[in-house]
């Protein structure tokens, strides 16, 4: 059908104008008017052009029917949750998650080990977020999020090299909330307390491999005591390095105030009697982005070892890509005679789009931790961190090297070297 139309609409006119104008018989002796002939040929050429244009549009339409969905159509499909649908038409549901796997190398001064781990700096997890409008500016929502880690990087050790972990999903959020821009947000259930994350503000772009919680890379590794008969001490990296980041996640009720000139207040009450309060402040100051947070947490008898915590962090990022981060905290312990634990964490970084694939971020950090596990302990760490984002895959490739040092009275602890490299892919 289409081939016949092609012959009629294209080939016939071409044959006519290509050959007919010179071969059609003309009555002998009939005078020719050049002006009339030129006008006639011009009309025929115009008609041919219109016919060809109509055919071109028809061919384009046929091609469009055969082409796959455009990126725009696919994007709209994603936004409309084609693959994730709510059981209630009034609720919008979003599925999200990530997988974060790496290879961890450690050397404790006596032996070296290689572990295949889940990076505890940002664990493998999956979540569902549901929201629905209520009245006016108010909306309600639910958040369910769980992590599943096989061989957690902060739990593997010289004595437990494989199969480390709970081997099941661990809850991170089981939350209900109601919020409105002018009135703030009320959250009930298992989730972030007001103080969670206040010691971990970091704009360096390298927090997937290292931030103020320096023990996440290799927290389960034991220090080697060359003077002890057994060799390995009973002190791990996680015992002597902690960023005192508030009350973490727990069963609580939490209220977040509206944002006022970049500042926001949050308070929460935790099941068992603990309470905390936190303030966060974000701002854009000329060519500098600033993010900060501080918190006070009273454990109220819910802990056998800590009375209260104070912590805070601030991070700045200049438009040039240079960043600086500081975090600090103090823990007041309940054990008689136990000194307050303190720490100071510093990081300098640089980030830039060196390649089209995504942002490259580099950083150097230092940490000084005092009297965390025992009175008189001084633990120090230095780390080199690098992250390459791959925007097309929503992924990050990273590598970090960290040196851990512990000075403890009447012992000789060898330094620990840890190198962690891996990939985090989000969906």
């Amino acid at each position: 059908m289409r081939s016949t139309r092609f012959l009629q609409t294209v080939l016939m006119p071409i044959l006519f104008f290509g050959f007919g104008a010179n071969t059609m018989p003309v009555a002998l002796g009939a005078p020719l008017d050049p002006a009339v002939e030129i006008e006639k040929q011009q009309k025929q050429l115009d008609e041919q052009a219109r016919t060809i244009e109509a055919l071109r549009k028809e061919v384009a339409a046929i091609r469009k029917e055969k082409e796959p969905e455009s990126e725009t159509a696919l994007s709209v499909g994603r936004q409309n949750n084609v693959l994730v649908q709510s059981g209630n038409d009034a609720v919008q549901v979003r599925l999200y998650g990530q997988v974060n796997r790496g290879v961890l190398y450690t050397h404790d001064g006596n032996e070296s080990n290689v572990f295949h781990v889940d990076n505890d700096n940002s664990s493998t997890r999956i979540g569902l977020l549901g929201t629905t409008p209520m009245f006016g500016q108010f909306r309600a929502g639910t958040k369910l999020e769980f992590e599943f880690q096989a061989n957690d990087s902060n739990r593997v050790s010289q004595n437990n090299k494989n199969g480390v972990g709970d081997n099941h999903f661990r809850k991170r959020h089981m939350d209900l909330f109601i919020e409105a821009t002018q009135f703030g947000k009320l959250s009930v259930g298992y989730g972030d307390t007001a103080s969670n994350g206040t010691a971990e503000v970091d704009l360096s772009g390298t927090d997937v491999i290292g931030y103020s919680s320096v023990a996440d890379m290799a927290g389960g590794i034991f220090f080697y005591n060359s003077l002890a008969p057994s060799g390995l001490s009973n002190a791990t990296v996680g015992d002597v390095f902690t960023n005192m980041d508030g009350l973490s996640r727990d069963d609580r009720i939490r209220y977040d105030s509206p944002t006022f000139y970049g500042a926001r207040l949050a308070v929460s009450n935790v099941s068992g009697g603990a309470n905390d309060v936190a303030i966060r402040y974000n701002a854009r100051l000329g060519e500098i982005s600033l993010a900060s947070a501080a918190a006070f947490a009273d454990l109220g008898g819910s802990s056998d070892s800590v009375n209260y915590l104070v912590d805070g962090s601030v991070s700045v990022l200049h438009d040039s890509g240079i960043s600086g981060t500081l975090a600090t905290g103090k823990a007041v312990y309940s054990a008689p005679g136990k000194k307050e634990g303190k720490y100071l964490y510093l990081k300098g970084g640089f980030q830039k789009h060196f390649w089209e694939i995504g942002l490259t971020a580099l950083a150097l950090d230092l940490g000084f931790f005092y009297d965390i596990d025992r009175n008189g302990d001084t633990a120090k760490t230095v780390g080199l961190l690098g992250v390459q984002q791959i925007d097309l895959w929503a992924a990050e490739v990273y590598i970090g090297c960290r040196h851990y040092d512990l000075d403890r009275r009447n012992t000789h602890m060898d330094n620990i070297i840890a190198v962690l490299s891996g990939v985090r892919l989000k969906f």
Side-chain angles (χ1 to χ4, degrees):
M1 178 67 73
R2 298 191 186 280
S3 60
T4 303
R5 184 167 184 177
F6 180 82
L7 290 172
Q8 292 174 344
T9 56
V10 179
L11 295 184
M12 291 301 292
I14 291 175
L15 290 172
F16 175 77
F17 287 110
F19 301 100
N22 295 323
T23 58
M24 296 252 332
V26 179
L28 294 176
L32 296 175
D33 186 342
V36 173
E37 292 298 320
I38 291 173
E39 183 179 0
K40 183 186 297 183
Q41 291 180 7
Q42 185 61 48
K43 290 181 178 178
Q44 292 170 334
L45 288 172
D46 291 343
E47 178 64 26
Q48 181 188 14
R50 286 192 293 270
T51 302
I52 293 174
E53 177 63 18
L55 182 62
R56 186 191 66 79
K57 291 181 178 179
E58 183 176 355
V59 172
I62 294 171
R63 287 178 177 174
K64 187 175 181 180
E65 291 175 0
K66 294 182 179 180
E67 289 175 353
E69 289 184 284
S70 66
E71 284 298 316
T72 301
L74 291 173
S75 176
V76 170
R78 295 189 200 100
Q79 293 174 4
N80 290 337
N81 292 325
V82 173
L83 299 180
V84 182
Q85 295 183 351
S86 171
N88 186 335
D89 292 340
V91 179
Q92 294 182 342
V93 175
R94 181 170 66 90
L95 173 69
Y96 65 93
Q98 64 184 39
V99 176
N100 191 354
R101 297 295 300 179
V103 178
L104 173 66
Y105 164 85
T106 65
H107 182 71
D108 61 14
N110 179 60
E111 66 176 59
S112 299
N113 286 286
V114 176
F115 309 91
H116 300 282
V117 297
D118 192 281
N119 180 356
D120 195 62
N121 286 283
S122 182
S123 61
T124 295
R125 65 192 63 164
I126 189 169
L128 282 170
L129 181 66
T131 58
T132 183
M134 295 181 66
F135 52 86
Q137 297 182 358
F138 285 90
R139 70 167 187 163
T142 61
K143 184 176 183 180
L144 295 173
E145 184 177 297
F146 305 91
E147 67 180 359
F148 198 127
Q149 293 183 272
N151 264 20
D152 314 19
S153 64
N154 67 324
R155 298 173 74 178
V156 293
S157 70
Q158 297 94 324
N159 298 326
N160 292 284
K161 301 177 181 180
N162 193 34
V164 178
D166 297 333
N167 200 31
H168 58 71
F169 283 100
R170 293 194 293 261
K171 60 186 177 183
R172 287 176 55 87
H173 295 273
M174 300 175 68
D175 215 4
L176 294 171
F177 62 85
I178 300 174
E179 63 181 351
T181 303
Q182 294 182 351
F183 298 95
K185 181 178 181 180
L186 180 67
S187 303
V188 179
Y190 188 92
D192 292 324
T193 60
S195 56
N196 193 32
T198 52
E200 300 172 351
V201 175
D202 192 326
L203 299 178
S204 70
T206 61
D207 54 324
V208 66
I209 183 59
Y211 62 116
S212 65
S213 185
V214 296
D216 288 356
M217 182 183 290
I221 302 299
F222 289 92
F223 284 92
Y224 185 82
N225 182 359
S226 58
L227 300 181
S230 60
L232 290 179
S233 72
N234 59 359
T236 68
V237 169
D239 291 333
V240 298
F241 292 93
T242 175
N243 66 351
M244 305 169 188
D245 186 44
L247 301 181
S248 188
R249 288 176 296 274
D250 212 326
D251 290 295
R252 87 296 185 238
I253 181 169
R254 169 176 168 170
Y255 172 72
D256 290 75
S257 74
T259 301
F260 185 73
Y261 289 102
R264 179 166 53 93
L265 185 70
V267 294
S268 61
N269 172 260
V270 180
S271 180
N275 300 280
D276 60 354
V277 58
I279 186 168
R280 292 171 172 82
Y281 176 73
N282 300 326
R284 178 70 180 176
L285 308 173
E287 297 180 340
I288 296 176
S289 298
L290 180 146
S292 61
F296 172 82
D298 181 358
L299 279 75
S302 62
S303 171
D304 295 331
S305 58
V306 181
N307 286 331
Y308 67 84
L309 299 168
V310 180
D311 69 78
S313 57
V314 59
S315 189
V316 294
L317 173 63
H318 190 269
D319 287 347
S320 63
I322 297 174
S323 66
T325 300
L326 179 149
T328 187
K330 179 176 74 171
V332 176
Y333 299 105
S334 56
K338 179 68 175 72
K339 288 185 177 181
E340 297 176 352
K342 300 177 182 178
Y343 82 96
L344 176 66
Y345 173 83
L346 301 167
K347 177 191 277 189
F350 179 71
Q351 52 191 265
K352 185 177 180 179
H353 282 86
F354 292 103
W355 302 282
E356 293 183 358
I357 59 174
L359 186 71
T360 304
L362 306 169
L364 168 69
D365 68 7
L366 300 167
F368 306 90
F369 297 74
Y370 305 99
D371 305 309
I372 304 298
D373 188 36
R374 293 186 185 180
N375 289 347
D377 280 359
T378 298
K380 294 170 285 188
T381 184
V382 57
L384 287 172
L385 315 168
V387 178
Q388 176 62 57
Q389 296 182 5
I390 305 177
D391 296 338
L392 184 62
W393 302 341
E396 296 150 292
V397 179
Y398 55 81
I399 186 169
C401 177
R402 188 168 294 285
H403 176 277
Y404 298 102
D405 175 69
L406 172 61
D407 292 330
R408 173 169 288 182
R409 295 171 183 173
N410 304 318
T411 61
H412 182 273
M413 301 292 191
D414 287 351
N415 298 332
I416 294 174
I417 300 295
V419 180
L420 176 59
S421 182
V423 178
R424 176 173 70 176
L425 193 150
K426 294 183 176 181
F427 60 86

